[in-house]
Amino acid sequence: MPDATDDVILRARGVTKVYPGTIALSGVDFEVHAGKVNILVGENGAGKSTLMKVIAGAERPTEGSLVMEGEEVRFHNPIEAQSRGIGIIYQEIDLCPNMSVADNIFLTREIAPRQVINFKKQKEVVRSLLERLEQKIDPDTPVGELGVSAQQIVAVAKALLQNVKVLIMDEPTSALTATEVAILFRVIRDLKSRGVAIVYISHRLEELMQIGDYITVLRDGKVQATSRIADIDIAWIIDKMVGRTLSSFIPREEHAVKREVLTVRRLDYPRPEGGHYVEQATFSVHAGEVVGLYGLMGAGRSELLECLIGLHPESSAEIEVEGESIPLSGSTDERIARGLVLVPEDRQAAGIVQSLSVSHNITLASVRSYAHLGVIPAKAGLGDVVAMIRDLSIRVSTPEQQVTALSGGNQQKVVIAKALLTKPKVLLMDEPTRGIDVNAKSEIFGIMNDLARDGMGILFASSELKEIMALSDRVLVMARGRMTGEFKRGAYTEADLVAASAKGRAPA
């Protein structure tokens, strides 16, 4: 248990939150210590995000109270919480893509003496914030033109602009490289030294052991356990979260590797300013084979997968699916018809349509196949949707439920279901477990195993070495757009993959 001498800046006392038909939180007690990293963990749906929304003023508790600096507080909206020094970085980045980096960071907090915004001063402040985060991002760049990791950095910079006493970070490293994570951790330690309390949520359990001081585990809306980080290990966390052992979370079944189903020769995707996103990549994937694609951020993994599915017509390559050549002029729809399909990295922006139901999302890529005389029935593909929900164990009350009501892990299953409904021969997956809990990850791994056993070829990109090593029959490594290594299962070490991923990079 936490030391009695530690300063508790914020307490949640008996917080309960009830939605129609759902008890999201039940009598939760949670203490936040000043100048410490207070870890909050639990499976998707355990109540973490709901508790954070209550603390940040985005939700009001049905029962219970919040006490900040010894005074009971009731926040009616996030602005009231911010006025007391509570900031939050949401998992799903809440930035305006059509606005610049500087405008996003200063949104509602503009420097505007005499009601005239001082854009020059704002840019100077933003440059200073980004330098603190060791980033070279132009403040004038529209956020929509940045990658996911850069957007996450901007969200962190926006939070740092506030004079926060409590900073909530919900999955802040889910899209960051190891280098960027190290930078973020340095910033967190700096904030701790200034007395700022950090509430840190992450599914990357190794991170929690590295950065945390105290930990609270939620399960089914209730506090399962609390402890000092120094007194526990990862096995303890997993046991308290789900009651299972660590070794059971990355299951792998042996499966027969058969004929070559995807052949790629000399895939080239040049950068407009010179150089290449992907340069002369040649590789193959066999039916029943899981091929891992590993590399550091910027290595070209996502770009390679996007080229295969036809998102970059300026790229060039010889691509064959089961020996049949795919014309480079073909659209994404034509690539899908030929047997390729992509599960994208950013499920919120590119995987689901948030305003649609689970059913409509699952059928989205296959909807034309249900048309009759040019008309698509209102319940097109409902039988297939129900079968996908059953086969992938998607936890949903009805197929007509809005997809955003689902947990992150179940949303990811919806994206996979949409891909599988196209009946692919090769499944491309970009960071398929980003931002989901360990139990949901295990379920995704099980789905991948089942698909490989049934003869599907899978090419998946991941920045998680343990996932790559546990699941892959073969590993391809990229660095600066080039293939720098190929390793068969059992014939390499973690150090081999790290060394190959660093080839061609300038020394630090």
Side-chain angles (χ1 to χ4, degrees), residues 298-334:
R301 297 170 305 158
S302 295
E303 289 82 0
L304 182 145
L305 296 178
E306 290 168 358
C307 288
L308 292 178
I309 201 64
L311 293 179
H312 302 296
E314 61 272 39
S315 65
S316 61
E318 294 178 24
I319 303 173
E320 296 178 0
V321 175
E322 291 194 327
E324 293 188 8
S325 179
I326 293 181
L328 294 180
S329 59
S331 65
T332 296
D333 285 345
E334 288 175 295

PDB file of all heavy atoms in Angstrom, residues 298-334:
ATOM      1  N   GLY A 298       9.700   4.899 -39.127  1.00  0.00           N
ATOM      2  CA  GLY A 298      10.325   5.493 -40.298  1.00  0.00           C
ATOM      3  C   GLY A 298      11.069   4.509 -41.166  1.00  0.00           C
ATOM      4  O   GLY A 298      11.649   4.894 -42.186  1.00  0.00           O
ATOM      5  N   ALA A 299      11.057   3.232 -40.785  1.00  0.00           N
ATOM      6  CA  ALA A 299      11.776   2.222 -41.573  1.00  0.00           C
ATOM      7  C   ALA A 299      11.087   1.932 -42.895  1.00  0.00           C
ATOM      8  O   ALA A 299      11.711   1.425 -43.821  1.00  0.00           O
ATOM      9  CB  ALA A 299      11.913   0.929 -40.769  1.00  0.00           C
ATOM     10  N   GLY A 300       9.774   2.222 -42.984  1.00  0.00           N
ATOM     11  CA  GLY A 300       9.045   1.987 -44.230  1.00  0.00           C
ATOM     12  C   GLY A 300       8.048   0.854 -44.160  1.00  0.00           C
ATOM     13  O   GLY A 300       7.471   0.465 -45.182  1.00  0.00           O
ATOM     14  N   ARG A 301       7.805   0.316 -42.956  1.00  0.00           N
ATOM     15  CA  ARG A 301       6.881  -0.825 -42.823  1.00  0.00           C
ATOM     16  C   ARG A 301       5.473  -0.476 -43.288  1.00  0.00           C
ATOM     17  O   ARG A 301       4.874  -1.174 -44.111  1.00  0.00           O
ATOM     18  CB  ARG A 301       6.845  -1.301 -41.367  1.00  0.00           C
ATOM     19  CG  ARG A 301       8.158  -1.817 -40.837  1.00  0.00           C
ATOM     20  CD  ARG A 301       8.069  -2.015 -39.336  1.00  0.00           C
ATOM     21  NE  ARG A 301       7.654  -0.780 -38.683  1.00  0.00           N
ATOM     22  CZ  ARG A 301       7.089  -0.698 -37.491  1.00  0.00           C
ATOM     23  NH1 ARG A 301       6.843  -1.794 -36.814  1.00  0.00           N
ATOM     24  NH2 ARG A 301       6.770   0.462 -36.959  1.00  0.00           N
ATOM     25  N   SER A 302       4.915   0.616 -42.723  1.00  0.00           N
ATOM     26  CA  SER A 302       3.546   1.000 -43.093  1.00  0.00           C
ATOM     27  C   SER A 302       3.449   1.348 -44.567  1.00  0.00           C
ATOM     28  O   SER A 302       2.490   0.969 -45.249  1.00  0.00           O
ATOM     29  CB  SER A 302       3.089   2.197 -42.242  1.00  0.00           C
ATOM     30  OG  SER A 302       2.987   1.848 -40.877  1.00  0.00           O
ATOM     31  N   GLU A 303       4.462   2.065 -45.067  1.00  0.00           N
ATOM     32  CA  GLU A 303       4.451   2.453 -46.479  1.00  0.00           C
ATOM     33  C   GLU A 303       4.477   1.230 -47.389  1.00  0.00           C
ATOM     34  O   GLU A 303       3.812   1.202 -48.436  1.00  0.00           O
ATOM     35  CB  GLU A 303       5.642   3.374 -46.775  1.00  0.00           C
ATOM     36  CG  GLU A 303       5.534   4.758 -46.169  1.00  0.00           C
ATOM     37  CD  GLU A 303       5.954   4.811 -44.700  1.00  0.00           C
ATOM     38  OE1 GLU A 303       6.343   3.748 -44.140  1.00  0.00           O
ATOM     39  OE2 GLU A 303       5.889   5.905 -44.112  1.00  0.00           O
ATOM     40  N   LEU A 304       5.242   0.205 -47.006  1.00  0.00           N
ATOM     41  CA  LEU A 304       5.292  -1.014 -47.806  1.00  0.00           C
ATOM     42  C   LEU A 304       3.911  -1.665 -47.880  1.00  0.00           C
ATOM     43  O   LEU A 304       3.447  -2.052 -48.976  1.00  0.00           O
ATOM     44  CB  LEU A 304       6.321  -1.979 -47.215  1.00  0.00           C
ATOM     45  CG  LEU A 304       6.537  -3.297 -47.968  1.00  0.00           C
ATOM     46  CD1 LEU A 304       7.996  -3.730 -47.881  1.00  0.00           C
ATOM     47  CD2 LEU A 304       5.647  -4.413 -47.417  1.00  0.00           C
ATOM     48  N   LEU A 305       3.247  -1.786 -46.744  1.00  0.00           N
ATOM     49  CA  LEU A 305       1.913  -2.398 -46.741  1.00  0.00           C
ATOM     50  C   LEU A 305       0.930  -1.557 -47.540  1.00  0.00           C
ATOM     51  O   LEU A 305       0.075  -2.092 -48.261  1.00  0.00           O
ATOM     52  CB  LEU A 305       1.431  -2.561 -45.298  1.00  0.00           C
ATOM     53  CG  LEU A 305       2.255  -3.522 -44.418  1.00  0.00           C
ATOM     54  CD1 LEU A 305       1.698  -3.550 -43.002  1.00  0.00           C
ATOM     55  CD2 LEU A 305       2.277  -4.932 -44.996  1.00  0.00           C
ATOM     56  N   GLU A 306       1.037  -0.237 -47.416  1.00  0.00           N
ATOM     57  CA  GLU A 306       0.143   0.652 -48.163  1.00  0.00           C
ATOM     58  C   GLU A 306       0.374   0.543 -49.667  1.00  0.00           C
ATOM     59  O   GLU A 306      -0.580   0.617 -50.453  1.00  0.00           O
ATOM     60  CB  GLU A 306       0.350   2.091 -47.687  1.00  0.00           C
ATOM     61  CG  GLU A 306      -0.166   2.341 -46.281  1.00  0.00           C
ATOM     62  CD  GLU A 306       0.286   3.662 -45.700  1.00  0.00           C
ATOM     63  OE1 GLU A 306       1.045   4.391 -46.383  1.00  0.00           O
ATOM     64  OE2 GLU A 306      -0.105   3.968 -44.562  1.00  0.00           O
ATOM     65  N   CYS A 307       1.629   0.363 -50.069  1.00  0.00           N
ATOM     66  CA  CYS A 307       1.919   0.164 -51.499  1.00  0.00           C
ATOM     67  C   CYS A 307       1.265  -1.110 -52.003  1.00  0.00           C
ATOM     68  O   CYS A 307       0.702  -1.152 -53.105  1.00  0.00           O
ATOM     69  CB  CYS A 307       3.424   0.113 -51.739  1.00  0.00           C
ATOM     70  SG  CYS A 307       4.278   1.700 -51.588  1.00  0.00           S
ATOM     71  N   LEU A 308       1.331  -2.168 -51.213  1.00  0.00           N
ATOM     72  CA  LEU A 308       0.759  -3.446 -51.640  1.00  0.00           C
ATOM     73  C   LEU A 308      -0.741  -3.347 -51.856  1.00  0.00           C
ATOM     74  O   LEU A 308      -1.290  -3.997 -52.744  1.00  0.00           O
ATOM     75  CB  LEU A 308       1.061  -4.524 -50.594  1.00  0.00           C
ATOM     76  CG  LEU A 308       2.529  -4.945 -50.448  1.00  0.00           C
ATOM     77  CD1 LEU A 308       2.673  -5.978 -49.347  1.00  0.00           C
ATOM     78  CD2 LEU A 308       3.066  -5.498 -51.765  1.00  0.00           C
ATOM     79  N   ILE A 309      -1.412  -2.533 -51.052  1.00  0.00           N
ATOM     80  CA  ILE A 309      -2.868  -2.436 -51.176  1.00  0.00           C
ATOM     81  C   ILE A 309      -3.282  -1.330 -52.149  1.00  0.00           C
ATOM     82  O   ILE A 309      -4.470  -1.105 -52.381  1.00  0.00           O
ATOM     83  CB  ILE A 309      -3.519  -2.224 -49.781  1.00  0.00           C
ATOM     84  CG1 ILE A 309      -4.992  -2.643 -49.799  1.00  0.00           C
ATOM     85  CG2 ILE A 309      -3.355  -0.784 -49.328  1.00  0.00           C
ATOM     86  CD1 ILE A 309      -5.219  -4.104 -50.071  1.00  0.00           C
ATOM     87  N   GLY A 310      -2.287  -0.644 -52.758  1.00  0.00           N
ATOM     88  CA  GLY A 310      -2.599   0.311 -53.815  1.00  0.00           C
ATOM     89  C   GLY A 310      -2.849   1.731 -53.376  1.00  0.00           C
ATOM     90  O   GLY A 310      -3.448   2.520 -54.120  1.00  0.00           O
ATOM     91  N   LEU A 311      -2.383   2.110 -52.183  1.00  0.00           N
ATOM     92  CA  LEU A 311      -2.626   3.475 -51.702  1.00  0.00           C
ATOM     93  C   LEU A 311      -1.623   4.484 -52.254  1.00  0.00           C
ATOM     94  O   LEU A 311      -1.829   5.691 -52.105  1.00  0.00           O
ATOM     95  CB  LEU A 311      -2.578   3.494 -50.167  1.00  0.00           C
ATOM     96  CG  LEU A 311      -3.697   2.753 -49.448  1.00  0.00           C
ATOM     97  CD1 LEU A 311      -3.509   2.823 -47.940  1.00  0.00           C
ATOM     98  CD2 LEU A 311      -5.065   3.320 -49.827  1.00  0.00           C
ATOM     99  N   HIS A 312      -0.549   4.012 -52.872  1.00  0.00           N
ATOM    100  CA  HIS A 312       0.468   4.917 -53.414  1.00  0.00           C
ATOM    101  C   HIS A 312       0.728   4.577 -54.878  1.00  0.00           C
ATOM    102  O   HIS A 312       1.654   3.825 -55.203  1.00  0.00           O
ATOM    103  CB  HIS A 312       1.759   4.810 -52.596  1.00  0.00           C
ATOM    104  CG  HIS A 312       1.575   5.128 -51.147  1.00  0.00           C
ATOM    105  ND1 HIS A 312       1.191   6.372 -50.705  1.00  0.00           N
ATOM    106  CD2 HIS A 312       1.706   4.350 -50.032  1.00  0.00           C
ATOM    107  CE1 HIS A 312       1.098   6.365 -49.384  1.00  0.00           C
ATOM    108  NE2 HIS A 312       1.397   5.154 -48.957  1.00  0.00           N
ATOM    109  N   PRO A 313      -0.082   5.121 -55.771  1.00  0.00           N
ATOM    110  CA  PRO A 313       0.060   4.771 -57.200  1.00  0.00           C
ATOM    111  C   PRO A 313       1.390   5.189 -57.803  1.00  0.00           C
ATOM    112  O   PRO A 313       1.767   4.694 -58.868  1.00  0.00           O
ATOM    113  CB  PRO A 313      -1.107   5.528 -57.851  1.00  0.00           C
ATOM    114  CG  PRO A 313      -1.493   6.590 -56.878  1.00  0.00           C
ATOM    115  CD  PRO A 313      -1.196   6.045 -55.522  1.00  0.00           C
ATOM    116  N   GLU A 314       2.130   6.080 -57.120  1.00  0.00           N
ATOM    117  CA  GLU A 314       3.431   6.483 -57.636  1.00  0.00           C
ATOM    118  C   GLU A 314       4.512   5.442 -57.373  1.00  0.00           C
ATOM    119  O   GLU A 314       5.650   5.568 -57.846  1.00  0.00           O
ATOM    120  CB  GLU A 314       3.855   7.833 -57.035  1.00  0.00           C
ATOM    121  CG  GLU A 314       4.007   7.846 -55.519  1.00  0.00           C
ATOM    122  CD  GLU A 314       2.707   8.168 -54.771  1.00  0.00           C
ATOM    123  OE1 GLU A 314       1.639   7.696 -55.200  1.00  0.00           O
ATOM    124  OE2 GLU A 314       2.785   8.879 -53.761  1.00  0.00           O
ATOM    125  N   SER A 315       4.184   4.411 -56.604  1.00  0.00           N
ATOM    126  CA  SER A 315       5.137   3.326 -56.342  1.00  0.00           C
ATOM    127  C   SER A 315       5.190   2.378 -57.540  1.00  0.00           C
ATOM    128  O   SER A 315       4.303   2.376 -58.398  1.00  0.00           O
ATOM    129  CB  SER A 315       4.735   2.554 -55.078  1.00  0.00           C
ATOM    130  OG  SER A 315       3.503   1.888 -55.265  1.00  0.00           O
ATOM    131  N   SER A 316       6.240   1.550 -57.570  1.00  0.00           N
ATOM    132  CA  SER A 316       6.379   0.574 -58.658  1.00  0.00           C
ATOM    133  C   SER A 316       6.827  -0.763 -58.072  1.00  0.00           C
ATOM    134  O   SER A 316       7.507  -0.814 -57.048  1.00  0.00           O
ATOM    135  CB  SER A 316       7.399   1.052 -59.694  1.00  0.00           C
ATOM    136  OG  SER A 316       8.676   1.211 -59.089  1.00  0.00           O
ATOM    137  N   ALA A 317       6.426  -1.853 -58.713  1.00  0.00           N
ATOM    138  CA  ALA A 317       6.802  -3.188 -58.253  1.00  0.00           C
ATOM    139  C   ALA A 317       6.224  -4.227 -59.194  1.00  0.00           C
ATOM    140  O   ALA A 317       5.333  -3.942 -60.004  1.00  0.00           O
ATOM    141  CB  ALA A 317       6.280  -3.442 -56.838  1.00  0.00           C
ATOM    142  N   GLU A 318       6.736  -5.449 -59.076  1.00  0.00           N
ATOM    143  CA  GLU A 318       6.098  -6.609 -59.678  1.00  0.00           C
ATOM    144  C   GLU A 318       5.428  -7.373 -58.544  1.00  0.00           C
ATOM    145  O   GLU A 318       6.096  -7.838 -57.619  1.00  0.00           O
ATOM    146  CB  GLU A 318       7.128  -7.504 -60.369  1.00  0.00           C
ATOM    147  CG  GLU A 318       7.801  -6.875 -61.573  1.00  0.00           C
ATOM    148  CD  GLU A 318       8.834  -7.798 -62.179  1.00  0.00           C
ATOM    149  OE1 GLU A 318       8.707  -9.035 -61.978  1.00  0.00           O
ATOM    150  OE2 GLU A 318       9.774  -7.298 -62.815  1.00  0.00           O
ATOM    151  N   ILE A 319       4.098  -7.470 -58.581  1.00  0.00           N
ATOM    152  CA  ILE A 319       3.345  -8.119 -57.508  1.00  0.00           C
ATOM    153  C   ILE A 319       2.512  -9.240 -58.101  1.00  0.00           C
ATOM    154  O   ILE A 319       1.789  -9.044 -59.086  1.00  0.00           O
ATOM    155  CB  ILE A 319       2.416  -7.115 -56.785  1.00  0.00           C
ATOM    156  CG1 ILE A 319       3.237  -5.936 -56.229  1.00  0.00           C
ATOM    157  CG2 ILE A 319       1.653  -7.806 -55.652  1.00  0.00           C
ATOM    158  CD1 ILE A 319       2.380  -4.831 -55.643  1.00  0.00           C
ATOM    159  N   GLU A 320       2.635 -10.414 -57.507  1.00  0.00           N
ATOM    160  CA  GLU A 320       1.841 -11.559 -57.949  1.00  0.00           C
ATOM    161  C   GLU A 320       1.114 -12.168 -56.756  1.00  0.00           C
ATOM    162  O   GLU A 320       1.688 -12.303 -55.669  1.00  0.00           O
ATOM    163  CB  GLU A 320       2.734 -12.628 -58.587  1.00  0.00           C
ATOM    164  CG  GLU A 320       3.428 -12.177 -59.859  1.00  0.00           C
ATOM    165  CD  GLU A 320       4.345 -13.248 -60.421  1.00  0.00           C
ATOM    166  OE1 GLU A 320       4.429 -14.332 -59.799  1.00  0.00           O
ATOM    167  OE2 GLU A 320       4.990 -12.999 -61.455  1.00  0.00           O
ATOM    168  N   VAL A 321      -0.147 -12.505 -56.944  1.00  0.00           N
ATOM    169  CA  VAL A 321      -0.917 -13.254 -55.952  1.00  0.00           C
ATOM    170  C   VAL A 321      -1.267 -14.594 -56.573  1.00  0.00           C
ATOM    171  O   VAL A 321      -1.929 -14.649 -57.608  1.00  0.00           O
ATOM    172  CB  VAL A 321      -2.185 -12.497 -55.523  1.00  0.00           C
ATOM    173  CG1 VAL A 321      -3.019 -13.364 -54.588  1.00  0.00           C
ATOM    174  CG2 VAL A 321      -1.806 -11.198 -54.824  1.00  0.00           C
ATOM    175  N   GLU A 322      -0.749 -15.653 -55.977  1.00  0.00           N
ATOM    176  CA  GLU A 322      -0.905 -17.013 -56.494  1.00  0.00           C
ATOM    177  C   GLU A 322      -0.509 -17.096 -57.961  1.00  0.00           C
ATOM    178  O   GLU A 322      -1.188 -17.710 -58.782  1.00  0.00           O
ATOM    179  CB  GLU A 322      -2.331 -17.524 -56.274  1.00  0.00           C
ATOM    180  CG  GLU A 322      -2.640 -17.764 -54.798  1.00  0.00           C
ATOM    181  CD  GLU A 322      -3.901 -18.570 -54.593  1.00  0.00           C
ATOM    182  OE1 GLU A 322      -4.832 -18.422 -55.403  1.00  0.00           O
ATOM    183  OE2 GLU A 322      -3.951 -19.342 -53.617  1.00  0.00           O
ATOM    184  N   GLY A 323       0.609 -16.444 -58.282  1.00  0.00           N
ATOM    185  CA  GLY A 323       1.183 -16.517 -59.619  1.00  0.00           C
ATOM    186  C   GLY A 323       0.581 -15.594 -60.649  1.00  0.00           C
ATOM    187  O   GLY A 323       1.087 -15.487 -61.759  1.00  0.00           O
ATOM    188  N   GLU A 324      -0.513 -14.893 -60.299  1.00  0.00           N
ATOM    189  CA  GLU A 324      -1.150 -13.964 -61.237  1.00  0.00           C
ATOM    190  C   GLU A 324      -0.680 -12.544 -60.958  1.00  0.00           C
ATOM    191  O   GLU A 324      -0.763 -12.063 -59.830  1.00  0.00           O
ATOM    192  CB  GLU A 324      -2.673 -14.047 -61.133  1.00  0.00           C
ATOM    193  CG  GLU A 324      -3.244 -15.376 -61.592  1.00  0.00           C
ATOM    194  CD  GLU A 324      -4.765 -15.343 -61.657  1.00  0.00           C
ATOM    195  OE1 GLU A 324      -5.336 -14.247 -61.493  1.00  0.00           O
ATOM    196  OE2 GLU A 324      -5.364 -16.408 -61.863  1.00  0.00           O
ATOM    197  N   SER A 325      -0.208 -11.870 -61.986  1.00  0.00           N
ATOM    198  CA  SER A 325       0.326 -10.524 -61.853  1.00  0.00           C
ATOM    199  C   SER A 325      -0.790  -9.522 -61.555  1.00  0.00           C
ATOM    200  O   SER A 325      -1.889  -9.605 -62.107  1.00  0.00           O
ATOM    201  CB  SER A 325       1.056 -10.122 -63.134  1.00  0.00           C
ATOM    202  OG  SER A 325       1.558  -8.812 -63.029  1.00  0.00           O
ATOM    203  N   ILE A 326      -0.488  -8.574 -60.672  1.00  0.00           N
ATOM    204  CA  ILE A 326      -1.435  -7.509 -60.341  1.00  0.00           C
ATOM    205  C   ILE A 326      -0.978  -6.236 -61.029  1.00  0.00           C
ATOM    206  O   ILE A 326       0.146  -5.768 -60.793  1.00  0.00           O
ATOM    207  CB  ILE A 326      -1.523  -7.280 -58.819  1.00  0.00           C
ATOM    208  CG1 ILE A 326      -2.140  -8.501 -58.142  1.00  0.00           C
ATOM    209  CG2 ILE A 326      -2.317  -6.024 -58.496  1.00  0.00           C
ATOM    210  CD1 ILE A 326      -2.298  -8.357 -56.657  1.00  0.00           C
ATOM    211  N   PRO A 327      -1.799  -5.640 -61.888  1.00  0.00           N
ATOM    212  CA  PRO A 327      -1.388  -4.411 -62.578  1.00  0.00           C
ATOM    213  C   PRO A 327      -1.221  -3.252 -61.609  1.00  0.00           C
ATOM    214  O   PRO A 327      -2.010  -3.079 -60.687  1.00  0.00           O
ATOM    215  CB  PRO A 327      -2.542  -4.157 -63.562  1.00  0.00           C
ATOM    216  CG  PRO A 327      -3.712  -4.879 -62.988  1.00  0.00           C
ATOM    217  CD  PRO A 327      -3.154  -6.069 -62.278  1.00  0.00           C
ATOM    218  N   LEU A 328      -0.164  -2.468 -61.809  1.00  0.00           N
ATOM    219  CA  LEU A 328       0.108  -1.348 -60.916  1.00  0.00           C
ATOM    220  C   LEU A 328      -0.963  -0.272 -61.000  1.00  0.00           C
ATOM    221  O   LEU A 328      -1.143   0.508 -60.075  1.00  0.00           O
ATOM    222  CB  LEU A 328       1.483  -0.751 -61.241  1.00  0.00           C
ATOM    223  CG  LEU A 328       2.685  -1.658 -60.967  1.00  0.00           C
ATOM    224  CD1 LEU A 328       3.974  -0.948 -61.342  1.00  0.00           C
ATOM    225  CD2 LEU A 328       2.723  -2.066 -59.503  1.00  0.00           C
ATOM    226  N   SER A 329      -1.656  -0.219 -62.110  1.00  0.00           N
ATOM    227  CA  SER A 329      -2.697   0.798 -62.293  1.00  0.00           C
ATOM    228  C   SER A 329      -3.968   0.482 -61.512  1.00  0.00           C
ATOM    229  O   SER A 329      -4.875   1.299 -61.429  1.00  0.00           O
ATOM    230  CB  SER A 329      -3.039   0.938 -63.776  1.00  0.00           C
ATOM    231  OG  SER A 329      -3.496  -0.317 -64.288  1.00  0.00           O
ATOM    232  N   GLY A 330      -4.016  -0.705 -60.931  1.00  0.00           N
ATOM    233  CA  GLY A 330      -5.231  -1.128 -60.248  1.00  0.00           C
ATOM    234  C   GLY A 330      -5.519  -0.325 -58.995  1.00  0.00           C
ATOM    235  O   GLY A 330      -4.613   0.113 -58.290  1.00  0.00           O
ATOM    236  N   SER A 331      -6.812  -0.137 -58.708  1.00  0.00           N
ATOM    237  CA  SER A 331      -7.239   0.584 -57.514  1.00  0.00           C
ATOM    238  C   SER A 331      -7.165  -0.323 -56.296  1.00  0.00           C
ATOM    239  O   SER A 331      -6.912  -1.529 -56.403  1.00  0.00           O
ATOM    240  CB  SER A 331      -8.669   1.076 -57.696  1.00  0.00           C
ATOM    241  OG  SER A 331      -9.557  -0.039 -57.789  1.00  0.00           O
ATOM    242  N   THR A 332      -7.406   0.260 -55.124  1.00  0.00           N
ATOM    243  CA  THR A 332      -7.454  -0.536 -53.901  1.00  0.00           C
ATOM    244  C   THR A 332      -8.553  -1.595 -53.993  1.00  0.00           C
ATOM    245  O   THR A 332      -8.363  -2.738 -53.559  1.00  0.00           O
ATOM    246  CB  THR A 332      -7.699   0.382 -52.689  1.00  0.00           C
ATOM    247  OG1 THR A 332      -6.581   1.271 -52.543  1.00  0.00           O
ATOM    248  CG2 THR A 332      -7.858  -0.422 -51.412  1.00  0.00           C
ATOM    249  N   ASP A 333      -9.698  -1.227 -54.548  1.00  0.00           N
ATOM    250  CA  ASP A 333     -10.788  -2.194 -54.709  1.00  0.00           C
ATOM    251  C   ASP A 333     -10.349  -3.379 -55.563  1.00  0.00           C
ATOM    252  O   ASP A 333     -10.701  -4.535 -55.273  1.00  0.00           O
ATOM    253  CB  ASP A 333     -12.010  -1.521 -55.348  1.00  0.00           C
ATOM    254  CG  ASP A 333     -12.753  -0.627 -54.372  1.00  0.00           C
ATOM    255  OD1 ASP A 333     -12.503  -0.754 -53.153  1.00  0.00           O
ATOM    256  OD2 ASP A 333     -13.572   0.193 -54.810  1.00  0.00           O
ATOM    257  N   GLU A 334      -9.554  -3.110 -56.605  1.00  0.00           N
ATOM    258  CA  GLU A 334      -9.076  -4.194 -57.472  1.00  0.00           C
ATOM    259  C   GLU A 334      -8.078  -5.083 -56.738  1.00  0.00           C
ATOM    260  O   GLU A 334      -8.070  -6.299 -56.914  1.00  0.00           O
ATOM    261  CB  GLU A 334      -8.451  -3.598 -58.739  1.00  0.00           C
ATOM    262  CG  GLU A 334      -9.477  -2.994 -59.698  1.00  0.00           C
ATOM    263  CD  GLU A 334      -8.822  -2.314 -60.887  1.00  0.00           C
ATOM    264  OE1 GLU A 334      -8.114  -1.316 -60.679  1.00  0.00           O
ATOM    265  OE2 GLU A 334      -9.007  -2.808 -62.010  1.00  0.00           O
TER     266      GLU A 334
END
